[in-house]
Amino acid sequence: MTRRVIPHRLTLAFTTLLVASLVSVSLQVRDPSGTSALARAALAVISPFQRLVLGAAGGISSIWSGYVALVGVRGENERLHDEVAALSNEASLLREQLVRAGRLEEFLAFQREAGLAGVSARVTGESADPWQKAVMLDKGGSSGVRRGMPVVTPRGVVGRVTAVSGGSGVAGLLVDRGSAIPVLVGASRSRAILEGENSGTCSLKYLDRTAEVKVGDAVVTSGLGQAFPAGLPVGKVTQVLKQSYGLYQYAKVVPAVPLERLEEVLILTGGPWGTAEDAVPPGGER
Amino acid sequence: MRFLGVLYLALLFALALVVQTALLPLLLPSWALGGADLCLMVAVHVAVSRGRAAGMAGGVALGYLQDALSRGILGVNGGALLAAGFVGGLLREQIYVRSFAQRLGAVMGAVAAALGWKLLLGLLFDLPSPSLLSPVFPLTFLLATFGAMVLTRWLDRLEERLGVRPGAGVRLDG
């Protein structure tokens, strides 16, 4: 009897949980609120481990490039060999620090020139779901970061903050399928919406078919809706698709920022962006 | 013993999440990342080695944590890993996985259930999911199945050594 009942209970539990998941997704896509408590808690717990793994990976990579690669070169002077390895390690670390300092200096210059207030954040990992294009950041609510805030580098737009905990956050990238950014295209300054495609490129939509757009045209933020400051570089047009019918033409855009090699970003904390009304829900940016 | 088993699973889940978010993006090319869903592989392993109840509980917990560490829509992976846990556990109970072929069948069923859920959400809510019409879908399916088979085999041995595996009589060696 018990053996009969238990399988039914499991099936019932499965159905209930599956329906609950469906309802949960549907509620969040249609009527999004702030970052969930589970998301905040999970971010807070996982971030220290991520930093640990990142640090260990950096150390291993540094040892690999600075020492293991030299072990094979055997000579009569091992002392010199070790010294070279140690110096090489040190130089590698210094180079890394120099590059990082250069990047931060670039960020500061960019902030000064553009007159934008923000905090720099380090990318600590990527989205736990391989089907979503997002990165995890080491700055969160305690640094004044809120959902919806623009994430940029001096090269251009990266995306927007989509989830925040005390000491870390998640930024949805502009190539994510849930992302939509109002932009201006080329010298004609035509308005359009840039949507992510979950690949390395984005697509320009709602672009007036009479607008003169060509390959190589720059795409910049329009500032409409106060989602991003106006005039930030977003990408370049790589392909224009104009059909013989319809009101609009379409174009492919490659992002100005190499999103697959992000190490540091700037979160724009000043300005009107990132308010509750402004915060763009995950999966509901369209 | 039960406490140790739960502690082991909690550590396994935490490790899977950290590796998924911090290490895999460094190690794998972007085209392989879609199929390299370590959390799915771990949920499949739990289901195929422990049955429906553990598969569902583990799947839903790991899936919701995965959602929390993604763009924030709770239920996408929660539902996917729940489905993987249910189907994987059901197949394990029905065919009493012993041989390589039986294990492959159970793993394929669990992976298909998870991808099926994501396809359904993609159709209903326009969320990112592998498209049936593109070669990405079979590639994702094959990579996830292969990864889950390798991981299951490896974790089976580890769990036997650690003594944290319930029903050690059912050894999943192929």
Side-chain angles (χ1 to χ4, degrees), chain A residues 83-105:
Chain A
E83 212 170 295
V84 167
L87 285 171
S88 167
N89 260 346
E90 203 176 323
S92 163
L93 286 172
L94 286 172
R95 265 198 303 274
E96 182 56 33
Q97 282 174 0
L98 201 64
V99 170
R100 184 151 190 249
R103 266 200 307 265
L104 292 176
E105 207 170 293

Side-chain angles (χ1 to χ4, degrees), chain A residues 219-285:
Chain A
V219 179
V220 297
T221 51
S222 69
L224 284 179
Q226 295 185 322
F228 284 89
L232 289 178
V234 178
K236 275 192 176 171
V237 174
T238 54
Q239 192 184 3
V240 180
L241 305 160
K242 191 188 270 188
Q243 287 168 328
S244 54
Y245 55 89
L247 294 171
Y248 304 109
Q249 57 181 322
Y250 301 90
K252 294 262 183 200
V253 172
V254 64
V257 180
L259 298 171
E260 68 284 359
R261 295 197 301 274
L262 279 178
E263 289 181 54
E264 260 125 14
V265 294
L266 187 68
I267 305 167
L268 302 183
T269 51
W273 25 84
T275 58
E277 301 76 43
D278 219 18
V280 176
E285 288 177 279

Side-chain angles (χ1 to χ4, degrees), chain B residues 1-8 159 162-168:
Chain B
M1 180 63 198
R2 192 182 169 83
F3 171 74
L4 269 184
V6 173
L7 182 68
Y8 163 77
E159 287 165 9
L162 295 175
V164 290
R165 175 114 179 274

Side-chain angles (χ1 to χ4, degrees), chain B residues 29-140:
Chain B
S30 57
W31 59 265
L33 272 178
D37 191 340
L38 193 61
C39 297
L40 170 61
M41 294 172 200
V42 168
V44 169
H45 163 73
V46 173
V48 174
S49 63
R50 288 164 172 78
R52 252 187 310 174
M56 282 166 57
V60 82
L62 186 56
Y64 272 86
L65 282 172
Q66 196 181 3
D67 284 330
L69 293 169
S70 304
R71 290 195 67 226
I73 306 178
L74 298 177
V76 176
N77 289 292
L81 299 199
L82 171 71
F86 181 79
V87 174
L90 185 70
L91 290 172
R92 188 250 194 206
E93 287 161 12
Q94 295 296 318
I95 60 181
Y96 203 62
V97 185
R98 280 180 189 280
S99 71
F100 176 82
Q102 286 168 334
R103 180 168 56 163
L104 181 63
V107 168
M108 285 173 86
V111 171
L115 291 182
W117 171 256
K118 287 202 171 183
L119 273 176
L120 178 72
L121 290 188
L123 289 174
L124 290 178
F125 304 116
D126 197 25
L127 291 174
S129 69
S131 164
L132 259 182
L133 301 174
S134 80
V136 176
F137 187 83
L139 184 70
T140 303

Side-chain angles (χ1 to χ4, degrees), chain A residues 122-208:
Chain A
R122 197 172 170 211
V123 174
T124 57
E126 293 196 15
S127 166
D129 181 353
W131 291 101
Q132 293 174 18
K133 301 291 178 192
V135 290
M136 307 184 78
L137 308 172
D138 69 347
K139 293 281 167 61
S142 54
S143 306
V145 177
R146 283 178 296 165
R147 288 182 81 229
M149 283 181 168
V151 181
V152 302
T153 73
R155 289 191 180 190
V157 173
V158 169
R160 302 177 75 174
V161 176
T162 55
V164 176
S165 77
S168 50
V170 177
L173 300 180
L174 64 100
V175 292
D176 186 272
R177 260 186 64 193
S179 161
I181 300 173
V183 292
L184 299 175
V185 187
S188 64
R189 312 284 286 173
S190 311
R191 283 180 187 171
I193 298 291
L194 186 82
E195 290 187 355
E197 295 185 315
N198 253 37
S199 60
T201 57
C202 305
S203 60
L204 271 181
K205 295 191 174 168
Y206 311 110
L207 177 61
D208 193 332

